[in-house]
Amino acid sequence: MGGAPGNILVPFAFLVFPIIVMRLFITLGPRKAIAIAFVFGWMFLPVANYDIFLLKNTKTAVICLSILGNAYYFDKEQLLKFQFNAADIPMLLWCTTPFFSSIANGLGPYDGLASSLAQSEKWGMSYYIARVYFSDEESIKMLAYVIFIGTLVYTPFCWYELIMSPQLHRLTYGFHQSSFLQTLRDGGGYRPMVYMEHGLMTAMWMVLGVFLGIWMLFTELLPKKIMHIPSLYLLMLLIFTNIMMRSMGAISLLIIALLIVYISNKTKTTFLVLILLIVPHLYMFTRTTGIWDGRNLSSAVSQQYSSERSGSLQFRFDNETILIQKAMQGSFFGWGGYGRSRVYDEKGRDISITDGLWIITYGTNGIYGLIVMVIAIQLPLFLFFWRVKPELWKTQTWGNSAVMAVFLGIFMIDNLLNAMINPVYMLCNGSLIGMLLNSSKVLAVNSDTGQLDAKTEQNRIENGTRFIPSPSLKSSRFIG
């Protein structure tokens, strides 16, 4: 068993989390328990890894295994209802990609199995959980509420670190989860990390909350009050917090996402969604072929923002270039792990820095892995805009799903420059696939009113669990 940095609270948090999940299952039932456990576990558990046999990615593994273990104990019947579909193939291939990379590079089947299990912990387990528990309108609505409330809960923590500097993870668990220097902002101030891996990851998480909140307000899905406070005020605070975090990339993606769902709904066309799908492919094609070196973009950033940001962006492009050259020398399945895809000088020193998930995947898992990863992320968005007309995106049935679909699109764009993997996004991925697969049974919605017919209501009742006979949301003293 490999060690991890930090104080005694690190292993304690991991050990006590399954007990907390058990309590949630007993008091709230499976769906609510899973949504709350996943979101709040990801927000507050430590960013630390213990290598236990084949298990890595401890934070994600603890969350998923705690949920799956309790689901098997309390709700085995529902858990085993999962039916594999052709739409699940891309995620299955993506989770098994490291095995082929290990075999192709002579690293052996054990390394391949371990790497595939680690990949499944990051991506596959949360996808599977969503396919089982968040595949209908009401459960997706519940997931969206919990994510939105989670970002509201994170707001005071973000403000603490905006003012006092990113110290919460160190104060709680005894170490910084990434370089403190990367939290410093141009002109002074800090970029909050809270309990996530990096400030960029926290920024995208908060963006998801704003995106959901704004569209729920537009589709009248946002409750009037949360914890006795008008929801509109809380949403305005969340938006202001995002602005003050000054992560221009995340804010730009948020604006793009909002424009896409709003304009697509108003014009009843999917042209903008098609562009959203194509952009990552164009970027990767122009970068791997050498058609574009990124200098015109870094020059524009220098003129609009600062030379420091421009230099940082161009530094990424330059590193990406040498990594592309190295990746092209590898096999169809890439170089495999252990830093084999990185670039070293004549003295054996690593001179490359990997930022974007796409170039990491290209180098490690080759063209095969890159193609499979992009399909696994973009497939729900493609299926969504293919099967659900944009005029339905403002209905209560499809409003939250529209947000999740478009968010996966901007997440793929974010992966061009960053590698901030959040398993909650794979909950969105799996829930969209499940919802679309079930839509042949439950898509009985009037495009004008967004109301469901009697047959659909009956389907919703039949899809309940022994803990929640009908997954409909009820008001509480916290959510009005």
Side-chain angles (χ1 to χ4, degrees):
M1 170 175 164
N7 56 34
I8 191 63
L9 286 179
V10 175
F12 178 79
F14 288 143
L15 289 172
V16 78
F17 186 74
I19 301 173
I20 295 174
V21 176
M22 180 184 293
R23 184 62 183 171
L24 290 173
F25 265 77
I26 294 171
T27 56
L28 300 177
R31 279 190 173 91
K32 288 183 180 179
I34 291 170
I36 293 171
F38 217 113
V39 169
F40 283 82
W42 184 252
M43 291 197 306
F44 292 108
L45 284 177
V47 182
N49 287 329
Y50 288 95
D51 294 342
I52 307 172
F53 187 44
L54 294 177
L55 293 178
K56 300 180 186 294
N57 310 306
T58 310
K59 184 172 182 174
T60 308
V62 166
I63 294 171
C64 291
L65 293 176
S66 298
I67 289 171
L68 290 172
N70 279 284
Y72 186 82
Y73 183 79
F74 290 105
D75 200 34
K76 181 179 178 180
E77 181 181 350
Q78 178 69 20
L79 187 66
L80 299 180
K81 279 185 178 179
F82 172 76
Q83 293 182 341
F84 187 81
N85 185 276
D88 301 314
I89 292 176
M91 184 57 68
L92 176 64
L93 293 178
W94 174 229
C95 290
T96 57
T97 292
F99 181 83
F100 300 107
S101 299
S102 295
I103 297 300
N105 287 278
L107 299 175
Y110 179 87
D111 180 78
L113 289 171
S115 300
S116 294
L117 181 57
Q119 188 95 315
S120 299
E121 292 167 11
K122 279 186 178 181
W123 302 80
M125 288 185 184
S126 50
Y127 174 88
Y128 169 72
I129 290 168
R131 284 280 282 107
V132 174
Y133 283 101
F134 302 105
S135 296
D136 58 68
E137 175 198 346
E138 292 300 328
S139 60
I140 291 177
K141 185 187 299 184
M142 179 194 302
L143 178 61
Y145 283 156
V146 173
I147 292 173
F148 177 69
I149 292 172
T151 56
L152 290 176
V153 171
Y154 239 33
T155 299
F157 296 93
C158 288
W159 275 103
Y160 175 89
E161 294 200 340
L162 281 168
I163 299 169
M164 304 300 295
S165 81
Q167 300 288 343
L168 287 171
H169 195 279
R170 183 190 64 82
L171 292 172
T172 307
Y173 297 115
F175 68 102
H176 282 297
Q177 61 271 50
S178 64
S179 172
F180 182 80
L181 294 176
Q182 295 185 19
T183 69
L184 303 177
R185 310 302 291 145
D186 295 343
Y190 308 96
R191 176 164 53 196
M193 293 190 291
V194 196
Y195 295 99
M196 293 191 180
E197 184 178 328
H198 194 279
L200 293 172
M201 180 181 286
T202 306
M204 281 297 290
W205 171 248
M206 299 299 282
V207 158
L208 176 57
V210 172
F211 192 15
L212 280 169
I214 290 176
W215 199 247
M216 283 195 292
L217 179 67
F218 182 74
T219 56
E220 299 182 352
L221 283 168
L222 191 67
K224 293 183 179 180
K225 290 185 178 182
I226 297 176
M227 297 184 71
H228 312 296
I229 303 173
S231 298
L232 181 60
Y233 295 163
L234 294 173
L235 177 58
M236 292 172 62
L237 174 62
L238 188 59
I239 295 171
F240 182 61
T241 303
N242 271 259
I243 295 171
M244 294 306 295
M245 289 171 70
R246 293 190 295 171
S247 185
M248 296 307 301
I251 292 174
S252 299
L253 290 174
L254 170 62
I255 294 171
I256 291 171
L258 286 168
L259 288 174
I260 287 173
V261 292
Y262 182 77
I263 295 175
S264 297
N265 175 253
K266 287 297 182 182
T267 61
K268 301 181 181 180
T269 63
T270 56
F271 178 72
L272 291 177
V273 180
L274 185 61
I275 294 176
L276 184 65
L277 283 166
I278 292 175
V279 165
H281 299 268
L282 289 176
Y283 178 91
M284 290 182 285
F285 175 77
T286 56
R287 294 294 289 130
T288 53
T289 57
I291 295 175
W292 183 58
D293 61 6
R295 295 193 179 278
N296 55 349
L297 178 59
S298 57
S299 297
V301 171
S302 177
Q303 295 174 4
Q304 294 294 324
Y305 299 104
S306 69
S307 58
E308 185 175 344
R309 288 190 179 183
S310 171
S312 174
L313 182 61
Q314 190 57 48
F315 179 75
R316 290 188 180 205
F317 287 140
D318 293 340
N319 271 273
E320 201 172 71
T321 299
I322 62 174
L323 288 166
I324 289 171
Q325 295 170 354
K326 179 67 179 289
M328 289 180 172
Q329 299 170 14
S331 71
F332 180 67
F333 296 103
W335 287 95
Y338 305 103
R340 294 159 58 93
S341 62
R342 302 178 72 88
V343 180
Y344 302 88
D345 62 16
E346 61 278 1
K347 295 182 179 179
R349 293 175 299 191
D350 189 351
I351 59 172
S352 58
I353 296 177
T354 52
D355 286 311
L357 179 62
W358 85 272
I359 189 58
I360 295 172
T361 301
Y362 184 27
T364 305
N365 304 124
I367 294 176
Y368 171 79
L370 184 59
I371 293 172
V372 170
M373 181 198 73
V374 173
I375 294 174
I377 294 175
Q378 289 192 332
L379 180 62
L381 174 57
F382 174 78
L383 293 177
F384 184 82
F385 95 82
W386 181 42
R387 297 196 62 179
V388 184
K389 295 179 180 180
E391 53 263 38
L392 294 176
W393 296 5
K394 67 178 180 180
T395 64
Q396 295 189 2
T397 299
W398 293 103
N400 289 316
S401 296
V403 169
M404 293 178 182
V406 174
F407 183 82
L408 286 175
I410 65 170
F411 171 61
M412 185 62 237
I413 292 177
D414 185 60
N415 286 334
L416 300 176
L417 295 177
N418 301 305
M420 302 298 161
I421 304 168
N422 185 333
V424 177
Y425 304 161
M426 291 306 102
L427 285 182
C428 299
N429 190 309
S431 67
L432 280 169
I433 294 293
M435 180 73 165
L436 291 167
L437 291 177
N438 291 333
S439 64
S440 59
K441 296 182 295 182
V442 302
L443 185 55
V445 59
N446 184 292
S447 61
D448 297 321
T449 65
Q451 299 300 312
L452 300 173
D453 64 14
K455 181 180 178 181
T456 303
E457 287 294 334
Q458 182 64 31
N459 282 332
R460 284 165 52 183
I461 294 173
E462 291 174 354
N463 288 334
T465 70
R466 61 178 179 172
F467 277 84
I468 307 179
S470 173
S472 59
L473 293 174
K474 295 181 173 63
S475 299
S476 71
R477 61 194 181 106
F478 296 112
I479 302 178

